[in-house]
Amino acid sequence: MSGIGEILKAVGDFGLFQKWLVLLTLFPCLGVAFHQFCQLFMVPHVPHHCDTSWIRAVGPNLTEEEQLNLTLPRDADGAYEQCSMYSPVDWDLVSIVAYGLNSTEKCSNGWVYPSAQPPSLLTEFDLVCDRKNLNNISQSIYMLGLFLGSMIFGPLSDRIGRRPVILISVVLQGLFGVGIAFVPHFYVYMAFRCVVGASVSGITMTILALATEWVGVSSRPKAVLISHCCFAIGQMFLAGLSYGIRNWRLLEIAGSAPIFAFFFYIRVLPESARWLVTKGRIEEAKKVLQKAASINKRTIPPGLLEQLKPETQTKSGSTLDLFRKKHLQKVTLIMSCAWFVNSLVYYGLSLNVTNFGLDIYLTQLAFGAVEIPARVGCIFILQWFGRKKTQAVLLLLSGLVCLIITGIPEDQPVVTTVLAIIGKFTASASFSTSYIYSAELFPTVVRQTGVGLCSMSARVAGIMAPLIRLLDQYHRAIPMAVFGSAPVVGGLLCVLLPETRGTDLADNTGAATPQLRWVCENANSSSENGHVKGKDGVQDNEYTKTTHF
């Protein structure tokens, strides 16, 4: 036994060192929220029409209204068409006025926007008419970057360490984030956004791993909750920042450049002691453990440090193990579905903030603010009602709210926005529930693999969510109907899962369900040191600790 678990207990579960560590890791969470949703404010709804300056060659003295009246057809409401114009002809002005123009074509010379409009992605790259779908496609490309980043940086952090991967991710996010502000073409913009998405995934995954490997088991939910709340604050901060900076290039710089401040304290960010021990770098592990103990004003018994030696690598389960046992097969499929539909409804609502009818800045502020009580309240709901009921009900509510929105008339933006905020609340709380419930359902030997597979399904849903929004060109209710029906199905499937509240976590794939255990009676006898005794009287991995909240 390496003794790393006992040494970390001597260092302290959540002392000043761990509190500083969590505080240091919160700053990048603000940048994550910015990159996740900043594009919503860079593509505002702007009135536009085809560029018909060709008529100026024969009528240089025409007023703007006269030019538009002669060269643009009108729609059923009497407004000028935004995506078509009358075909240019070689007539003189008198003939054009006398006979008029009849044949139409798509805009061939670009579009004209209001001169007072601040520069935006829409106006600079003409994301209108046939090109408007590029907006949602670019959001999917960013989500694809998140997916690729999780596949690249997860294994890389296990190979070269947490600190180097955090540093690489910060450099990529800073350079490509600021670089986006100078791109000359929209396809370059999408490529840069993909890299930023990958770096965001690298930062969030690795920082979470670093924090959980230093923080004690009992305080880990608290640390994760703080990071989730910081992400919500970042969304609120985005609303204010985008309201004050309307130029999309300046907004991108303002949101991306602050990440470089991370370099000033990357030197004080510690490497994971657990990772150092697994790699056999014992002396480095001892130094960082002693530093942590001194900051926490604790003392590590010298004999305990001397017992520290490289951990023997235990054989972990593979993805195939999740499908060999029938009970694990059911858990894997249902939880993967739950994560998928949860991500679908979360991003379906979040990325639709510009279409609810009210001011997008206030709506974004409310969307960010509502996540804080959702994340905090989730802990108490889980304690009162258990995991299964909470997960199922929250998913059902998220879906039902979206389905109700499909029936709300367009002239009722307040009702639509209030319902969307309720949906965002339930979707956010459901996400926090999924993290906890999944970790308790999967046995220790396949826990990381199982949760990783669920997370991957959520990334796929994130890629699909912007593409589903393209269906609104057929009917405005179709995307929200999809976002609503999927979580309803997922919520009903969750009823088939076992309850894990008040149970010991399974260590191997043999147990069909977690074994019920009355923690209040047996906590002192079997979990006195935060561990559970195995069959042979040996202390098992700390992940087998009874779940209390």
Side-chain angles (χ1 to χ4, degrees):
M1 177 178 171
S2 68
I4 182 65
E6 292 301 317
I7 294 175
L8 285 172
K9 286 187 177 297
V11 168
D13 280 352
F14 201 60
L16 184 61
F17 174 83
Q18 285 87 352
K19 289 174 183 175
W20 271 109
L21 175 61
V22 171
L23 186 64
L24 289 175
T25 59
L26 292 183
F27 178 73
C29 291
L30 298 175
V32 169
F34 172 83
H35 289 294
Q36 208 87 337
F37 303 114
C38 66
Q39 188 173 310
L40 298 174
F41 302 92
M42 297 177 181
V43 191
H45 293 296
V46 178
H48 56 275
H49 59 77
C50 298
D51 184 355
T52 58
S53 55
W54 63 268
I55 201 172
R56 290 291 181 180
V58 293
N61 297 322
L62 288 172
T63 64
E64 182 181 0
E65 183 61 28
E66 289 172 335
Q67 175 186 335
L68 298 182
N69 194 44
L70 290 172
T71 58
L72 293 179
R74 294 178 182 268
D75 59 22
D77 298 325
Y80 292 119
E81 289 280 0
Q82 294 183 319
C83 299
S84 63
M85 66 181 197
Y86 288 123
S87 302
V89 294
D90 294 329
W91 301 352
D92 57 37
L93 183 61
V94 176
S95 300
I96 292 174
V97 173
Y99 300 107
L101 302 175
N102 292 315
S103 66
T104 61
E105 63 180 44
K106 294 180 179 179
C107 302
S108 55
N109 298 315
W111 290 263
V112 176
Y113 309 96
S115 57
Q117 182 69 28
S120 67
L121 281 173
L122 183 144
T123 58
E124 288 204 21
F125 299 119
D126 293 329
L127 303 183
V128 294
C129 301
D130 290 343
R131 292 172 55 84
K132 69 178 181 180
N133 290 343
L134 289 175
N135 178 31
N136 285 316
I137 291 172
S138 68
Q139 290 280 26
S140 286
I141 295 296
Y142 172 80
M143 296 294 182
L144 176 63
L146 290 175
F147 179 81
L148 295 175
S150 63
M151 297 182 67
I152 295 169
F153 289 112
L156 189 62
S157 69
D158 289 336
R159 181 179 293 271
I160 67 174
R162 314 313 188 204
R163 287 182 77 251
V165 168
I166 292 174
L167 182 61
I168 292 169
S169 300
V170 166
V171 170
L172 288 175
Q173 183 174 315
L175 290 178
F176 282 86
V178 172
I180 286 174
F182 302 97
V183 295
H185 198 281
F186 193 70
Y187 292 109
V188 180
Y189 168 86
M190 288 196 290
F192 276 40
R193 283 275 290 170
C194 185
V195 177
V196 169
S199 68
V200 163
S201 205
I203 289 174
T204 53
M205 287 176 57
T206 314
I207 278 181
L208 180 64
L210 182 63
T212 54
E213 286 168 354
W214 273 108
V215 176
V217 177
S218 59
S219 299
R220 283 178 190 168
K222 189 192 307 179
V224 173
L225 177 64
I226 292 171
S227 68
H228 284 178
C229 290
C230 191
F231 178 74
I233 293 170
Q235 293 184 56
M236 299 166 67
F237 180 73
L238 169 63
L241 189 65
S242 57
Y243 180 81
I245 305 175
R246 302 298 178 94
N247 185 315
W248 81 271
R249 294 185 185 271
L250 296 179
L251 177 61
E252 187 67 45
I253 293 172
S256 301
I259 193 67
F260 287 116
F262 199 80
F263 283 109
F264 291 103
Y265 61 87
I266 190 71
R267 289 180 60 193
V268 300
L269 196 68
E271 182 55 271
S272 166
R274 288 183 180 276
W275 181 83
L276 289 171
V277 170
T278 60
K279 294 299 179 181
R281 294 158 64 172
I282 303 301
E283 293 305 315
E284 292 178 60
K286 288 180 180 179
K287 287 180 182 178
V288 74
L289 286 166
Q290 288 171 330
K291 181 181 178 181
S294 66
I295 294 175
N296 285 347
K297 300 188 182 334
R298 303 283 287 268
T299 303
I300 303 175
L304 211 54
L305 273 179
E306 294 304 318
Q307 295 175 15
L308 196 62
K309 51 187 167 186
E311 287 187 341
T312 55
Q313 296 291 328
T314 56
K315 187 178 184 294
S316 58
S318 66
T319 306
L320 290 177
D321 292 330
L322 296 171
F323 297 95
R324 288 195 177 107
K325 300 281 185 177
K326 193 172 182 180
H327 66 279
L328 269 184
Q329 205 176 81
K330 182 177 76 171
V331 167
T332 302
L333 293 175
I334 294 178
M335 283 312 297
S336 294
C337 176
W339 279 65
F340 179 88
V341 299
N342 207 155
S343 179
L344 198 68
V345 69
Y346 179 87
Y347 286 112
L349 289 169
S350 298
L351 298 178
N352 208 37
V353 69
T354 57
N355 296 326
F356 292 130
L358 291 186
D359 181 81
I360 61 172
Y361 303 101
L362 290 177
T363 306
Q364 178 62 37
L365 185 67
F367 267 31
V370 78
E371 284 204 24
I372 298 176
R375 306 287 190 180
V376 176
C378 169
I379 300 300
F380 300 101
I381 295 172
L382 286 172
Q383 188 174 0
W384 295 332
F385 300 105
R387 279 61 163 157
K388 180 169 74 171
K389 290 179 182 178
T390 302
Q391 183 76 82
V393 170
L394 288 174
L395 281 176
L396 285 170
L397 288 176
S398 301
L400 290 174
V401 165
C402 291
L403 292 175
I404 294 172
I405 289 176
T406 61
I408 304 298
E410 290 186 77
D411 60 354
Q412 298 290 331
V414 175
V415 178
T416 303
T417 304
V418 169
L419 287 171
I421 291 171
I422 295 172
K424 184 74 181 291
F425 177 93
T426 54
S428 301
S430 180
F431 243 139
S432 293
T433 302
S434 297
Y435 276 97
I436 297 167
Y437 198 16
S438 301
E440 294 176 349
L441 281 170
F442 290 108
T444 301
V445 292
V446 290
R447 184 166 296 126
Q448 285 296 91
T449 305
V451 174
L453 186 64
C454 292
S455 179
M456 193 174 295
S457 69
R459 298 296 189 200
V460 173
I463 295 171
M464 291 178 61
L467 300 179
I468 291 173
R469 293 184 61 214
L470 297 177
L471 297 175
D472 66 356
Q473 59 189 304
Y474 303 106
H475 194 284
R476 72 176 189 89
I478 294 178
M480 202 55 68
V482 175
F483 296 141
S485 55
V488 169
V489 174
L492 293 174
L493 287 175
C494 286
V495 177
L496 302 175
L497 293 173
E499 178 57 69
T500 60
R501 181 181 58 168
T503 62
D504 281 341
L505 304 188
D507 285 335
N508 52 60
T509 59
T513 57
Q515 298 300 308
L516 183 63
R517 183 168 173 275
W518 300 102
V519 293
C520 52
E521 221 172 282
N522 298 327
N524 291 332
S525 61
S526 60
S527 295
E528 186 176 355
N529 296 319
H531 291 73
V532 178
K533 297 286 184 179
K535 288 181 180 178
D536 302 323
V538 180
Q539 287 179 327
D540 290 335
N541 187 291
E542 63 178 4
Y543 288 114
T544 64
K545 185 177 179 179
T546 303
T547 55
H548 291 272
F549 71 91

